[in-house]
Each structure stands twice: as structure tokens, then as C-alpha cells.
Amino acid sequence: MLTDDELIKLIDNHESERTEFTQSATDLEKFRKAICAFSNDLPASGKPGVLFIGIADDRTCANLRIDTELLEKLGGLRKDGKILPFPVMSVEARTLNGCRIAVIQVEPSDNTPMKVDSRCWVRVGPRTEQASASEERLLTEKRQLRDVSYDMQEVRGASVDVDLDMLKFESEYLLHAVSPEMLVENQRSVFDQLRASRLVTSEGTPTVTAILMLGTDPAQWFPGAYIQFVRFDGDEVTDSVVDQKEIRGTLPEQLRELGSLLKLNIQAPLDISGAKHIASPDFPERALRELTHNAVIHRDYQNNNAPVRIYWFSGSIEIISPGSIHGGLRVEDLGKPMITAYRNPTISAAMKNLGFMESFGFGISAAREALRENGNPAPEFRVEGNFVFVKIKRQS
């Protein structure tokens, strides 16, 4: 709820697109329309609207009786079924400039258009009016623009200057994502390049993808965005630990370091039974790369602060990715070509630009093929709670 000083300032500025005064406590229909209009936030101010009950249009005190019964009646407007979807609002009694009033604060909705009895209302300056067809369409488009994947959403509080490594963006990311000829031809500003790459919002705030790909300190914003690698001397997590490491940094940095770590742990004894001595790895590098990259790129960064875990046992490797299967897919769908549902489409596109993905929708299929060619059993997938498990067995 806004402070007393903030409310007084709104009153002093007269009625506006964010404020409405009323000296009546009984016109519930008027209140519903105002709440609906503030929720729709047609001017896109992003700020709450306030209905002051007990103040006349000339800002004098109406001396209304503000009691518990009235506050409960006003609070009931939220869920009486007239305003749909339900608004986000609060109701309080305040004493401002010596006047006892009821204050209804209404937050802008993410689910516009809001309506009262199937009619859409908006604020036009200091008035509440029924929305025109074009205004209602604009509210629908606003909602659709907000209905984007999590990795495209802004990271509130982050800034380009402080939280993004712009040297990486200009010297590494752009060179892979955009051809040199296009860069010379377009002559875009850095901000326009960031926005075209879907790394900042239209207001200039870094997105989730930007922080994870280019952040100066991704862990500040996503504490679970790292990889935990543990190698055991046996086939159980209770066996002694041979090696362990936490891999942090941006996603490209994590996958580069992980690639080196996987190579160090793959054992490739020579097969000397034939005319030629052939190195036969216990696990094919390509399969490990595809499956671990898949676990990092497609994990849930929104609702799960656990790391991606790689447990390397004597006879198998288990990769654990936070987040259940996305988009209604089933376990048996994993690895089928072109049956995909991307939880993080912009992260996927960015990682493909940087060469961490060969193509969309074929990573698991490629891992299956690499395992088969190397003589390993097919990978085993299972889902437990909010985690996807992949088990790869050693070459038989």
C-alpha cells in the first residue's frame, strides 16, 4: 500500500488517470468500474490506481463514516463475480490531512482486458469510460506480449551497465549471432543490437537470457544456475568421492568448462585384439555433450534453484536436470525427432548461435546414435517430482 505522503501527493494532483474521488460510499457499480479501469492500465503507467472514498471532487472531506462494515463491503468487490478476472487490490482506512477515508489501491493486471459484467472499462484522463473496440484490442495485445516464455522476461532490478558484460556481447555473441556484413550494413546502436537479440526489453532491462548468457554475476540472480559434478568410486552415492566440482559462470562458460571435465574423465583403453589398435571410450563424448547440454539449456530456471547434477559412477552416469518435462511431452517422446517443446526458446537460440547446439530437436536422437555406435545401451529417462533423470550405462 502507498504511504500517507504518496497518497496525499496523489490527492493534491487532482483526479487523473490514476486517481478518482467520491464522496459516496454506496455507489458500488461506480467503484467496480473504477477498479476495472485501474486494473486495465490503458496508459501503461505500470503504477497502481487509487480510489479515494470520502473525498469530494473539490478535494474537501465528505466526513463519511468509515467503519469495519464498509471496509468489508469494499473488499468484497474483488470476488463478488462482477469484475473478471479477479483484480489485485487492497482496502484500508486512512486519515489524510485530518480526513478519515477509505482507500482502494488497484494494481495493474497482467491478464487484461478486465471487465465488469462483460464490459471493459478504462481510464481516459480523470474519467472512467467504456473501452472502444480498438482500446480493448490493445489490452488484449498487451496481455499477449506479456505471455512470453520465462527466459524472455525482464530481470527486475538488473541493468545493462552493471549486470551485463558488454565486451562479451560485442566481441563474442554478436560475431556468432550476426554476420559481419550485416553488422556493418545495419550500423545499429548497442541498445538496438541487444533488443534485436531479445536480450533486453523495450524499456532496456536485461532479460533472463541476457543474465544467463552475458551476466557479470549470474548467480546473484539465479543461485541454482550452476553444474554440480561428482565422481564416485563405485555405483552408489554412498561410495567414496573421487572428484567433485561446482561449475559456475555464464552458461557458455559452464558448458566449455564442463566439456573439458568430461574429456578428462572419459576412459578410452586401446583395443589391441585386431590388426589396428583402436581407442574404445567407455562413454562417447558426443552423447555426453548432447545430454548435458540439453540438461543445462532446457532446465527450469524459474521455479527450481537446484543445480544440474552429473553423478559419474563406475558403471554409469546420471544427469539430473531441474524441472519436469515441459509442454505436455511424455517420457517416451524424448528423443523422437521433431517432437519438442522448448521451455527456454531464447536460451536455446542463443546457445545454437554460439555453437553449443547443432540443430533444434535432434540432440537426444544424436546422443542415442552415438551411444549405439559406441556399444553403450540406450539412455534411460525417468521423471521424479520436478526433476528429469537420464542414466547412461558404460559400454558393455
Side-chain angles (χ1 to χ4, degrees):
M1 194 73 169
L2 297 175
T3 66
D4 286 357
D5 288 342
E6 290 171 324
L7 293 173
I8 290 172
K9 185 175 180 180
L10 287 176
I11 293 172
D12 290 343
N13 288 334
H14 301 273
E15 284 191 324
S16 67
E17 63 189 24
R18 290 186 57 208
T19 58
E20 181 163 335
F21 308 147
T22 177
Q23 57 186 350
S24 168
T26 59
D27 195 347
L28 299 184
E29 189 64 20
K30 177 182 179 181
F31 301 161
R32 291 189 187 96
K33 292 176 182 177
I35 293 169
C36 175
F38 289 141
S39 295
N40 280 323
D41 187 26
L42 183 63
S45 69
K47 299 177 181 179
V50 183
L51 176 61
F52 295 95
I53 299 173
I55 296 180
D57 290 344
D58 61 1
R59 296 179 295 161
T60 58
C61 184
N63 295 311
L64 291 181
R65 178 183 175 85
I66 309 297
D67 55 16
T68 302
E69 182 180 354
L70 173 62
L71 296 177
E72 289 178 350
K73 183 184 295 184
L74 297 175
L77 295 174
R78 176 186 175 275
K79 54 183 180 180
D80 65 4
K82 297 284 188 179
I83 311 172
L84 294 174
F86 290 161
V88 178
M89 53 179 272
S90 58
V91 180
E92 284 186 3
R94 293 286 186 95
T95 300
L96 303 175
N97 293 332
C99 182
R100 186 72 168 170
I101 60 175
V103 178
I104 301 178
Q105 179 173 312
V106 184
E107 301 298 327
S109 175
D110 288 333
N111 199 8
T112 57
M114 304 281 288
K115 297 183 179 182
V116 178
D117 292 332
S118 300
R119 293 179 180 272
C120 181
W121 298 88
V122 295
R123 291 293 285 187
V124 180
R127 301 186 307 278
T128 297
E129 297 184 358
Q130 187 172 337
S132 65
S134 61
E135 288 168 337
E136 189 168 337
R137 183 168 60 251
L138 177 61
L139 292 172
T140 300
E141 291 171 353
K142 281 173 58 179
R143 186 198 69 229
Q144 292 171 342
L145 286 173
R146 286 189 294 261
D147 290 344
V148 297
S149 60
Y150 177 69
D151 62 340
M152 293 177 64
Q153 295 179 22
E154 68 175 354
V155 178
R156 293 187 177 181
S159 68
V160 171
D161 294 339
V162 175
D163 299 296
L164 295 188
D165 186 332
M166 295 308 298
L167 180 59
K168 285 181 182 177
F169 174 66
E170 296 184 57
S171 63
E172 178 181 339
Y173 186 88
L174 276 181
L175 295 181
H176 289 87
V178 184
S179 68
E181 297 80 9
M182 186 69 71
L183 287 174
V184 172
E185 180 181 339
N186 286 342
Q187 289 294 308
R188 289 179 170 178
S189 67
V190 173
F191 174 76
D192 287 338
Q193 291 169 337
L194 284 167
R195 186 167 56 180
S197 302
R198 297 186 177 182
L199 297 175
V200 298
T201 65
S202 57
E203 292 79 20
T205 306
T207 64
V208 172
T209 297
I211 296 294
L212 291 171
M213 297 294 297
L214 302 168
T216 55
D217 184 12
Q220 174 188 352
W221 305 96
F222 304 98
Y226 67 96
I227 302 169
Q228 181 188 62
F229 175 90
V230 184
R231 180 155 189 168
F232 298 93
D233 186 19
D235 291 314
E236 303 292 338
V237 294
T238 53
D239 293 327
S240 59
V241 174
V242 176
D243 188 22
Q244 60 181 331
K245 187 175 183 60
E246 287 187 359
I247 303 175
R248 297 179 179 272
T250 64
L251 298 190
E253 290 169 343
Q254 289 183 34
L255 293 187
R256 292 190 186 103
E257 185 175 349
L258 176 63
S260 299
L261 186 61
L262 294 176
K263 285 183 179 181
L264 288 174
N265 281 274
I266 293 174
Q267 296 178 357
L270 289 176
D271 180 358
I272 59 176
S273 60
K276 294 183 178 180
H277 294 179
I278 302 173
S280 180
D282 51 357
F283 297 99
E285 182 185 345
R286 184 183 183 189
L288 296 185
R289 182 179 66 247
E290 294 287 354
L291 293 172
T292 54
H293 286 195
N294 192 75
V296 171
I297 293 170
H298 301 304
R299 64 156 289 175
D300 181 2
Y301 287 99
Q302 181 178 12
N303 303 306
N304 200 317
N305 284 328
V308 170
R309 287 172 285 172
I310 301 172
Y311 290 167
W312 196 303
F313 300 100
S314 294
S316 64
I317 299 172
E318 195 157 272
I319 303 165
I320 307 165
S321 181
S324 189
I325 300 177
H326 183 66
L329 296 184
R330 302 166 298 173
V331 172
E332 53 266 33
D333 294 326
L334 296 175
K336 293 181 179 179
M338 304 312 295
I339 300 181
T340 58
Y342 292 110
R343 174 182 278 114
N344 303 311
T346 56
I347 291 176
S348 299
M351 296 301 274
K352 185 177 186 300
N353 286 334
L354 293 178
F356 291 99
M357 296 174 63
E358 293 182 11
S359 59
F360 291 117
F362 290 95
I364 296 178
S365 298
R368 288 185 188 274
E369 180 65 15
L371 289 167
R372 185 189 64 78
E373 292 178 351
N374 195 62
N376 298 75
E380 300 173 3
F381 294 88
R382 73 180 192 275
V383 178
E384 294 182 11
N386 290 322
F387 294 88
V388 176
F389 293 73
V390 185
K391 186 173 185 177
I392 313 166
K393 293 182 178 179
R394 180 185 291 273
Q395 178 194 57
S396 58

